[in-house]
Amino acid sequence: MSLDLTRLSLRFAAQPVLFAPLTLHVPRGTITTVTGPSGIGKSTLLDAIAGTLPGGVAMSGGITLNGQDITGQPAHRRRIGLLFQDAVLFGHLSVGDNLAFGLSPDIRGRAARRKAVTTALEQAGLGDMASRDPATLSGGQKARVALMRSLLADPQALLLDEPFSKLDAELRDEVRSFTFAHVRARGIPVLLVTHDHADAQAAQGPIVALGGRRP
Amino acid sequence: MTQGGLRICVLIVVALFGAGPILAGLWQALRASFAVLPAIGATAPSLAPWRELAHLPGIATSLRLTLISGLGATALALLLVMAVCITRSGRDIAAHAPKRPRHARMGTRQDPKAQPATPQPSHPSAPSAGPRTAHLALAPVLAPFLAAPHAAMAIGLAFVIAPSGWIARAIALILGWSSPPAWITVHDPGGVALMLGLVIKEFPFLMLVTLSALNQIPLHRTLVTGRTLGYGTGTLWLKTVLPQIWPMLRVPVMIVLAYALSNVDMALILGPSNPPTLAVLLTRLFSDPDTTLLLPASAGAVVQALLVLATFGVLWATGRAMRAVGLVWLRLGGRGARPAWPGQMLRTATSVVMAGLLTLGTLSVLALLMWSLAWRWPFPGLLPQTWSLHAWQGAQGNWHAPLITTLVLALATTALSTLLAIAWLEGEDRARKRTPAWGEAMIYLPLLVPQISFLYGLNILFLRLGLSGGLAAVIWAQTLFVFPYVMIALAAPWRALDPRLARTAAALGAGPWRQLVAVKLPTLLRPLLIAAAVGGAVSVAQYLPTLFMGAGRMTTLTTEAVTLASGSDRRITAVTAALQAALPFAGFLAALLIPAVLHRDRRALRGGGGSPG
């Protein structure tokens, strides 16, 4: 069980490749950190893995998840979770419905689904907030809701795109340990993109620096 | 995955039902102008229609009137827009430091150099409609003028400036007149009333477009930087701001030009009647029972198209010339001979003119309401002596059927156009690329080609296909003009939507349709409803497409109001025109209220701005 990249490289139309072809093995249960100077294409790398590459980006190489080649699959079939700097909660839905949106369709029945949402909210310390407007939550609360929403979809891998960089210093430690504790408990491969050394250290996993643009 | 499928489908639909028929209509007109119109038995090509057109009484005057009123109104509206910008830049505009739309900034969080795919806001169709943008003071004042249909505004204006209108009454009260003056204001032979009406309608449009263009450039920084270099405000506008926004204004100005040069409804109500403007003259010829007149009328339709094309050429050449001259001027580095320019005089004058125009527009709408409720209203009283609902209730006030027709047309065209616009924009999202320029040009084509130039030719095609005069034909013809405006209203907020919303939904397992229906559309509810309201307003205002494609049998509030305006009882006319004006306002009201109620507990979507999450 792992996420594997094989000689993955990306380029915007008519431009040099963003980074040297990347081969990476992300075993389950570890948080692998990717660092590199800004502009090298860390976020684009995550887009490629998640299947949400913007138009005009050419990709070569392969992506496998748990032994299955997912290189050509559309994003919604990959079962790869994605977290951004912002929580990106759906503003038209309540906090509870945000969680229900992602909840895996394998959980059937209204009662069972409601229970799954409630349990997740309680784990995040937001037990009484199911009917709240997400716009009224604090930054830390939003981050926790976003993580729980991702995990409820039962992802087979998780990608974190500098998820703590917009939080205040004290909040950052708290959200980070909350996030890492939950994703470790899942035992899935996790790829973290960050600028912050503290993030990389706390991840306690291998650290990969994206290399220069050699052909 | 068929990522590009939807986009290609929509392009084909727009080409097949939009651009194609317009070109076919133009081709029909061109053929008929050389006496080839098999429908009336004319098959031998000749120049006779052109000779007939040239010998029509008053044709030279018609052409002159068309050019003067069309070019004059556009130039005046544009000049006023520029004057307002320059003189008010320190207050309404630059004072609220313009913010780029939030998501445009977020989009640049990755290296902008490495992301050529990120659409830069340089496209004319991408005015930022971000809720928390600059110009808070002006925009809400201007928006209602866009909603009011041309015909209703023109009828109201005619009521206000007529010898028995409010202006004359106000003067009469001061000077003690007891009977209306012998003015010729409405239908004046010089076309001044028409020009005034056009400016009242087109100034708010150009002003709003300009304000949103200003939102897309770093206006505040440009002005501050320029001032620290010692430039005066006015000079800075001409040297740095105007060249930046002009590319975004070019298409809107062309739309205004095409309309001003070729509109029929306003010219019928306000313009000179004998000889009238070219478009009115052609409408009369096309509607004449004598079918041989169709041939010179077609030649006139070609002239009308060439006229508009020529002014586009002049516009383009002027732009180039001003750029060349401006660059020389810029390199000379003059800071402005009088750094204080624009001075207080220009500032006051601009404010007075703008306030005057907006007041006239407001009075026009009020006059409709007043006349529809008046019973006895002797000169020079400012208000009616007795009031009555007679005009609304009476047997003559036969507005029920036209109202229903208008509503059906508005709902059908708006639904079609909104669906098509959603399909267009969603198609771009799925294909992950913007439509090329020629595709966008197809959207705006119906607004740039004079209606009179292709609608009759199109009607002939429809007659041959047996489609003329039916509801479907009118719905389709109106949709030609409704769709572009719905696109203009929807494209900017759609493209400003945080792309991470859909990506997050995809990562949570939502396929393209669920992303669209469960995330994008609900998040965009407000702009969607506003775009639909714009569409409804455009549909309600349509005159010529209803008249021609309905073969004169389809009566809407607009066609009824235009007919009544030529000499019926004022009260009856006022009832029809007031209803015509009320429909768009009702639409906009609904567009504002529905999201406010549905999203009352959703702060991010209530229109106060802020991004989701």
Side-chain angles (χ1 to χ4, degrees), chain B residues 3-95:
Chain B
Q3 287 175 333
L6 182 61
R7 181 166 154 272
I8 304 293
C9 282
V10 176
L11 271 174
I12 291 174
V13 166
V14 172
L16 222 56
F17 292 93
I22 290 173
L23 297 179
L26 282 174
W27 171 242
Q28 283 288 331
L30 190 63
R31 265 165 35 116
S33 76
F34 290 101
V36 179
L37 186 57
I40 61 165
T43 48
S46 83
L47 287 173
W50 290 92
R51 276 196 297 273
E52 271 180 75
L53 179 72
H55 290 122
L56 281 177
I59 179 76
T61 316
S62 282
L63 282 173
R64 204 187 64 229
L65 277 172
T66 302
L67 277 175
I68 291 176
S69 63
L71 291 178
T74 311
L76 284 175
L78 196 56
L79 271 180
L80 184 57
V81 166
M82 292 305 143
V84 170
C85 284
I86 293 177
T87 57
R88 292 173 79 112
S89 63
R91 286 174 283 168
D92 312 71
I93 296 167

Side-chain angles (χ1 to χ4, degrees), chain A residues 154-190:
Chain A
D154 196 18
Q156 301 300 298
L158 194 62
L159 309 175
L160 308 175
D161 190 355
E162 304 198 36
F164 317 120
S165 64
K166 277 200 180 166
L167 298 169
D168 300 337
E170 57 226 79
L171 206 56
R172 186 178 303 185
D173 290 336
E174 179 202 318
V175 173
R176 183 165 50 211
S177 41
F178 175 83
T179 305
F180 286 174
H182 275 274
V183 301
R184 280 208 187 89
R186 284 291 172 128
I188 52 174
V190 177

Side-chain angles (χ1 to χ4, degrees), chain A residues 12 15 39 43-44 47 51-55 74-76 80 82 84-94 101-102 132-133 135-136 142 149-150 153 161, chain B residues 1 106 109-111 113-117 432 498 500-501 503-512 514-515 518-519 522-523 599 601-605 612-613:
Chain A
F12 285 95
Q15 289 189 35
S43 292
T44 315
D47 276 334
T52 55
L53 271 181
H76 63 279
I80 294 181
L82 187 56
F84 299 99
Q85 288 172 334
D86 301 281
V88 197
L89 300 178
F90 303 128
H92 62 293
L93 300 176
S94 68
F101 185 97
R132 280 275 288 272
D133 175 3
T136 63
K142 284 181 190 172
R149 182 177 62 177
S150 257
D161 190 355
Chain B
M1 192 162 58
M106 289 176 176
R109 97 204 129 87
Q110 292 157 332
D111 184 10
K113 292 185 301 293
Q115 255 207 317
R432 294 177 191 175
D498 188 344
R500 294 173 308 171
L501 281 170
R503 279 147 82 186
T504 299
L508 293 171
R514 187 157 174 236
Q515 290 168 36
V519 175
T523 309
H599 288 158
D601 296 328
R602 297 289 176 260
R603 204 168 65 190
L605 302 178

Side-chain angles (χ1 to χ4, degrees), chain B residues 50-353:
Chain B
W50 290 92
R51 276 196 297 273
E52 271 180 75
L53 179 72
H55 290 122
L56 281 177
I59 179 76
T61 316
S62 282
L63 282 173
R64 204 187 64 229
L65 277 172
T66 302
L67 277 175
I68 291 176
S69 63
L71 291 178
T74 311
L76 284 175
L78 196 56
L79 271 180
L80 184 57
V81 166
M82 292 305 143
V84 170
C85 284
I86 293 177
T87 57
R88 292 173 79 112
S89 63
R91 286 174 283 168
D92 312 71
I93 296 167
H96 306 267
K99 303 177 182 77
R100 306 279 294 270
R102 283 182 72 98
H103 309 311
R105 265 181 305 165
M106 289 176 176
T108 58
R109 97 204 129 87
Q110 292 157 332
D111 184 10
K113 292 185 301 293
Q115 255 207 317
T118 303
Q120 292 302 308
S122 63
H123 197 273
S125 71
S128 121
R132 266 197 300 179
T133 42
H135 61 258
L136 294 167
L138 219 42
V141 181
L142 296 172
F145 290 90
L146 280 188
H150 288 92
M153 188 66 98
I155 291 172
L157 182 63
F159 286 175
V160 173
I161 62 175
S164 59
W166 260 328
I167 292 178
R169 285 166 193 261
I171 299 174
L173 281 180
I174 298 167
L175 300 183
W177 298 344
S178 57
S179 59
W183 293 346
I184 303 175
T185 44
V186 183
H187 301 307
D188 66 293
V192 178
L194 172 58
M195 227 186 311
L196 181 64
L198 284 168
V199 174
I200 289 178
K201 265 306 281 178
E202 302 308 340
F203 162 71
F205 173 70
L206 285 179
M207 191 73 230
L208 283 171
V209 172
T210 306
L211 289 173
S212 65
L214 288 173
N215 260 323
Q216 296 178 45
I217 63 168
L219 176 64
H220 192 66
R221 272 179 289 152
T222 303
L223 290 179
V224 169
T225 310
R227 280 192 199 119
T228 62
L229 292 174
Y231 283 91
T233 311
T235 314
L236 266 180
W237 271 84
L238 297 180
K239 284 190 173 182
T240 63
V241 179
L242 197 54
Q244 287 187 74
I245 59 173
W246 179 246
M248 292 180 261
L249 297 187
R250 203 181 292 124
V251 171
V253 170
M254 284 161 73
I255 291 173
V256 169
L257 252 183
Y259 181 81
L261 285 165
S262 68
N263 82 91
V264 173
D265 44 356
M266 280 193 118
L268 269 172
I269 296 163
L270 291 171
S273 43
N274 218 358
T277 60
L278 182 61
V280 171
L281 176 71
L282 297 178
T283 309
R284 283 186 197 159
L285 292 179
F286 277 128
S287 313
D288 200 284
D290 179 0
T291 53
T292 56
L293 287 177
L294 288 177
L295 300 180
S298 298
V302 174
V303 170
Q304 178 81 68
L306 292 177
L307 211 61
V308 170
L309 198 64
T311 57
F312 287 173
V314 171
L315 186 72
W316 179 81
T318 313
R320 292 303 291 257
M322 288 190 39
R323 192 183 139 78
V325 173
L327 277 176
V328 172
W329 186 42
L330 183 122
R331 285 174 192 144
L332 287 175
R335 261 60 173 165
R338 292 155 47 212
W341 186 83
Q344 194 56 45
M345 274 274 282
L346 183 61
R347 200 163 294 165
T348 313
T350 307
S351 299
V352 167
V353 173

